Structure formats: C-alpha cells, structure tokens
Amino acid sequence: MNFQNKKPLTTGFLESVNLMYDRAVDLLDLPGDVAQTIKACNSTYEVQFSVRLRGKLHSFKGYRSVHSEHMEPAKGGIRYSIEVNKDEVEALAALMTYKCALVEAPFGGSKGGLIIDPTEWEDHEMEKITRRFAYELIKRDLINPSQNVPAPDMGTGEREMAWMADEYRRMNPTDMNACACVTGKPLNAGGIAGRTEATGRGVQYALQEFFRHADDVKAAGFDGSLDGKRVVVQGLGNVGYHAAKFLSEEDGSKIVGVVERDGAVFNPKGIDVEALKAHLVARQPLSSFPGVEFVEDGSLGLEYDCDILIPAACESVITYSNAHKVKARLIIEAANGPITADANDILVERGHTIIPDLFANAGGVTVSYFEWAKNISHIRFGRMQRRQEEARSRAFLEQLEAVLPNGVDPALKKKLECGAGEIDLVRSGLDDTMRAAYVAMREVRESHPNCPDMRTAAYMVAVRRIVGVMDHFTM
Ligand code: GLU
C-alpha cells in the first residue's frame, strides 16, 4: 500500500486525541451521553497578564485547562513554550484524565501552559513571571492542594514548582496542606526522592514489563530481553535522557541514535549517554560531539534502523507523512501524543507495536501522586518502618549465619540488611503501578475481539474506570 497517497485524518492534536478516544468508546457499551460527557473539556481558563521587566511592561498569555473533575484535585503539568496554544493545552489535559485513570492515580485531568521562550529571560525575570502566573491561577483555585495540582512539563522543572508553591503559601498562610499545591518540587521544598527521573524511570519499567510477556515480544518480532536491543531516542531532555541512561546502564540496551533540535547523531556501537548529555548541557552543538555520525536533518533519526524508537520530545512528530518510513518494530511514546491518529493507523497496519503515551509516560504523574500523598500526610515514606525492618532482618541473618557453614552470601546480606528508604519505596510503587497498568491493558486487548492495539486498550481501561467513578454521582 502506498501510504503517501493516504489523506491525513486529523488536523489538530486535540482532534487526534479525541479520535483515539472515540475508537475505544465505540467498543464499550456506554449508557446515554456518558461518552460525550467524559470526552468534553470542562473548562479552559485563558489569562493575559503583564510584568514590568527591563523597564517596561511585558505581556504574557497563559492557560489552565481542566478536562475532568470526577476526581479531585485535577492534575497535570504546566508547560513553558512559545508553541503553547489552547488546542494543545486541552489535548494534554484530556490525556491527563485518561492517564491518571489508567495508572489509578486518584485525580481528574488538567494542564497548563504559558506562551514564553524561557531562554529569552534571566533567572530572576523567570521567577517574577512565574510568580505572577501562579498568582493568577491561585486566585481562581487553579493551583490548590484539593482542587488543582500542577507539576513540571516541557520548559518547567523543580525551580518553577518551588516558586509556585511559595507563592501559594504566601497567599494561603493558614493552609496546612499548602505544600501539596504543586508536585515536582525540590526535595528540600517538600518534594519526593525520584520525582525528577520518574517519567524516564517509568519508560524503563514499561519496557521491562513488555519484555516479561513472551507473546507480546514475539508479536513485535523480537526475542530475548532488553539486553542488546538497539534504541533511538528523540529528545535528550529530562525524560529522554533518563530513559536512555537507565536502559543503557541497567538493561544492556544500546543507544544507537539520539535526535535533538539541531540534528541527529548515530553510532551502531552505542552512544555514551552521559557524555552526550554533558556536551549538550555545556551548550555545545550536537555536530561537535565526537565519535558519532552527525546528520543535520534530525527527522532521519526517526527513520533510523533500530529495534526501539523512543519519541521523548513533543507531540505530532510521527505523522502520516513519515510514519511509513519508521523502521523500529517497537515505538514507546515517552512524550505526550508524538504519534498522530493517522500515523498510528499506518504503523499498526504495518505491524509495528506501539506502547501508548497514556501508559508509557505515566511515571511522572504516578510519582507526583506519591509526592502529593507525602505532602498531605506530612511524613516521609519509610520513616516509621525502615529501622524496624532492618532490626528484623538483622536478627534473621544472625540466626542464618549461625547454622550455615559458609555464612550468608555478602551481596545478599547487604541487600537484606537495609530497610526500604523513600527512594526504594518510590521505585517499588512505580514499578508496581506500571506492571499493573500493563496487565490491565493486556487483559482488555486479549478479551476484546475487536480491540486492535494497546492504545485502544489503554483508553478502554481508563474510560471504564472513569465511568465506574461517575456511577456514584447523583447529579
Ligand atoms: N507533565 C507530566 C505529564 O504530562 C506530569 C504531570 C503531573 O505530574 O501531574 O504527565
């Protein structure tokens, strides 16, 4: 089939998300107008504000969209980019609704954005702009521990979250849960261990779970494990970097290509992810990174011969015009919406396996959930039981050493001797979440004769859960 002659199905990001939703809903027997109620975005707040900078007033436009409130608070990141627009924010908010339901994070879906190029402003200017944007959202309960809890997204990180949390605290000095008003904060400002790398870690756990299911692995044309698999990562930002780092350092995968804004680099023998990241952080051009083949046209990276492709940058990078050129058998959507609905069809038709965004990048919001729970419970995870666990293990080991002629293997002893700290519990909770969500998607895909792929299954699981919550509503 000549896919180049296919007409694009969709024009916008939101339309693409809605189309994927509709397909899943068509396979569910939903009562009345429930499907439409879930799909509709509840509200989008658009704000214009001015900040005095460099001696004059500068105007900024921002959004906070609340897609669903069947569970509260609504949850989702705030993005800083010049490409932010209403369609994008609403599409991302909808994805948050479905993502949270899929991984059983007890939240509605929300998303925010500010139209800004953060590289144009000094740090103290960014702080002023962020605090002002936060003030506008706090005034309307669009930042609030029990109503709406933002988090980092593209262009924002723990620095912005700390400013926002501080602004909320100043405006609500008597709220004892103030700290829970945003997640992704620095550790010393109420954050949680493992949040920064959580989305990348989630991508790793998602792939590990995929490789635990021999028939899925076989259907994708693979055998074995992640060890030795050739991976291309598009975007070496927070998510792409951590996914590439963990896969290469812990699972034996080979990062054979990295795509960035200014081109792509390849090395079939593997790229040193740490060295490349350090090179980019030092603001060196990709083209000057040694020991790799460089191409200026980054889109070629998406078409590079590899086993696993990880789009980890932004939406709509694999479209109907380049989907037929993708060679990777397995594509895992670390970004939100990197494959458009029509590109999805082409890829599925050509036998590629897609691990969908709803699931693949849910590590971020999962660990955000742990952070929020930590904040409202006012106690660090592991604080009560860690030393007690250690004492119990030590007593057990002493007995064991006394009866075993060669004692206990030192590596095992070291493992058993230490109780779980916050980072161990966060990783365990994230791993458990990713495994459970994968199994839930798989069950639906297997049991539903017309379910074509994992994405549709993910939406079906999410929608069923949302309907389950709505069943208890009286109004
Ligand atoms: N921005 C991230 C996402 O798209 C994290 C959201 C959150 O932690 O609330 O999933």
Side-chain angles (χ1 to χ4, degrees), residues 189-403:
I192 195 167
R195 175 61 185 88
T196 307
E197 67 267 32
T199 313
R201 185 63 82 184
V203 171
Q204 177 198 28
Y205 289 164
L207 282 170
Q208 287 177 352
E209 180 59 13
F210 173 83
F211 277 94
R212 275 186 203 108
H213 297 270
D215 33 354
D216 291 350
V217 173
K218 196 164 160 228
F222 295 138
D223 52 30
S225 65
L226 276 166
D227 193 20
K229 294 287 179 294
R230 299 162 305 145
V231 177
V232 168
V233 182
Q234 186 234 1
L236 210 62
N238 179 40
V239 180
Y241 160 65
H242 283 110
K245 174 183 165 71
F246 299 143
L247 289 170
S248 57
E249 288 176 2
E250 296 171 18
D251 296 291
S253 305
K254 225 173 356 170
I255 311 301
V256 295
V258 172
V259 186
E260 268 289 310
R261 262 190 212 111
D262 52 340
V265 288
F266 307 110
N267 185 349
K269 292 199 181 112
I271 295 168
D272 181 342
V273 175
E274 281 305 321
L276 178 54
K277 183 69 183 174
H279 182 85
L280 297 174
V281 168
R283 294 186 184 276
Q284 298 300 307
L286 190 63
S287 55
S288 68
F289 187 66
V292 292
E293 180 201 341
F294 170 79
V295 293
E296 214 169 292
D297 180 4
S299 69
L300 294 177
L302 299 169
E303 300 158 19
Y304 193 71
D305 187 17
C306 64
D307 301 311
I308 304 171
L309 176 61
I310 311 184
C314 56
E315 63 266 18
S316 309
V317 292
I318 302 176
T319 63
Y320 88 107
S321 54
N322 64 352
H324 60 285
K325 297 184 192 156
V326 171
K327 293 189 188 66
R329 305 297 311 147
L330 176 63
I331 306 155
I332 174 160
E333 295 183 310
N336 287 309
I339 301 177
T340 60
D342 35 23
N344 182 78
D345 293 353
I346 297 171
L347 291 164
V348 170
E349 207 170 317
R350 295 180 73 218
H352 297 264
T353 299
I354 299 170
I355 302 183
D357 49 4
L358 293 193
F359 167 66
N361 67 40
V365 75
T366 299
V367 179
S368 274
Y369 167 38
F370 302 155
E371 180 177 332
W372 178 79
K374 174 189 177 181
N375 293 154
I376 58 171
S377 62
H378 300 267
I379 188 163
R380 162 171 57 81
F381 290 113
R383 183 161 172 183
M384 303 297 279
Q385 67 271 41
R386 182 175 190 174
R387 304 302 165 190
Q388 193 267 349
E389 262 175 31
E390 285 183 4
R392 210 167 46 173
S393 299
R394 224 174 296 121
F396 173 70
L397 280 167
E398 271 164 26
Q399 293 281 314
L400 214 55
E401 298 243 84
V403 293

Side-chain angles (χ1 to χ4, degrees), residues 12-309:
F13 185 16
L14 180 60
E15 205 184 332
S16 194
V17 170
N18 283 341
L19 195 78
M20 290 167 178
Y21 170 88
D22 288 343
R23 284 177 182 170
V25 162
D26 281 349
L27 300 176
L28 296 168
D29 194 15
L30 293 186
D33 51 6
V34 169
Q36 190 51 38
T37 306
I38 296 173
K39 180 165 124 179
C41 176
N42 288 6
S43 64
T44 299
Y45 173 61
E46 190 176 318
V47 62
Q48 186 101 27
F49 60 89
S50 299
V51 185
R52 186 170 294 282
L53 299 159
R54 303 177 192 178
K56 64 178 181 120
L57 282 177
H58 289 264
S59 184
F60 298 92
K61 190 171 177 175
Y63 303 91
R64 185 76 181 163
S65 179
V66 179
H67 177 260
S68 61
E69 291 149 289
H70 62 290
M71 280 193 171
E72 286 184 315
K75 192 83 192 77
I78 290 187
R79 177 171 289 199
Y80 281 3
S81 150
I82 43 167
E83 260 127 52
V84 161
N85 59 73
K86 188 164 175 271
D87 179 275
E88 181 190 64
V89 174
E90 290 189 351
L92 292 165
L95 283 174
M96 286 308 302
T97 294
Y98 310 131
K99 193 188 306 190
C100 289
L102 179 64
V103 295
E104 295 176 284
F107 301 130
S110 185
K111 201 82 175 198
L114 186 66
I115 306 173
I116 189 171
D117 177 358
T119 62
E120 277 184 7
W121 302 98
E122 305 285 332
D123 288 358
H124 67 278
E125 295 169 328
M126 283 310 295
E127 177 170 358
K128 226 172 152 184
I129 299 163
T130 299
R131 283 184 182 274
R132 181 59 202 277
F133 185 32
Y135 168 81
E136 296 297 333
L137 298 179
I138 295 164
K139 268 205 297 195
R140 292 162 181 90
D141 288 333
L142 289 167
I143 297 182
N144 181 302
S146 55
Q147 297 273 287
N148 198 316
V149 180
D153 200 77
M154 256 169 65
T156 56
E158 53 177 42
R159 180 181 75 154
E160 286 73 18
M161 298 307 115
W163 290 331
M164 289 182 188
D166 187 56
E167 198 62 26
Y168 181 86
R169 203 175 298 109
R170 282 163 193 254
M171 292 170 69
N172 299 274
T174 57
D175 185 346
M176 66 183 286
N177 289 321
C179 206
C181 75
V182 296
T183 57
K185 301 178 291 293
L187 247 188
N188 59 10
I192 195 167
R195 175 61 185 88
T196 307
E197 67 267 32
T199 313
R201 185 63 82 184
V203 171
Q204 177 198 28
Y205 289 164
L207 282 170
Q208 287 177 352
E209 180 59 13
F210 173 83
F211 277 94
R212 275 186 203 108
H213 297 270
D215 33 354
D216 291 350
V217 173
K218 196 164 160 228
F222 295 138
D223 52 30
S225 65
L226 276 166
D227 193 20
K229 294 287 179 294
R230 299 162 305 145
V231 177
V232 168
V233 182
Q234 186 234 1
L236 210 62
N238 179 40
V239 180
Y241 160 65
H242 283 110
K245 174 183 165 71
F246 299 143
L247 289 170
S248 57
E249 288 176 2
E250 296 171 18
D251 296 291
S253 305
K254 225 173 356 170
I255 311 301
V256 295
V258 172
V259 186
E260 268 289 310
R261 262 190 212 111
D262 52 340
V265 288
F266 307 110
N267 185 349
K269 292 199 181 112
I271 295 168
D272 181 342
V273 175
E274 281 305 321
L276 178 54
K277 183 69 183 174
H279 182 85
L280 297 174
V281 168
R283 294 186 184 276
Q284 298 300 307
L286 190 63
S287 55
S288 68
F289 187 66
V292 292
E293 180 201 341
F294 170 79
V295 293
E296 214 169 292
D297 180 4
S299 69
L300 294 177
L302 299 169
E303 300 158 19
Y304 193 71
D305 187 17
C306 64
D307 301 311
I308 304 171
L309 176 61

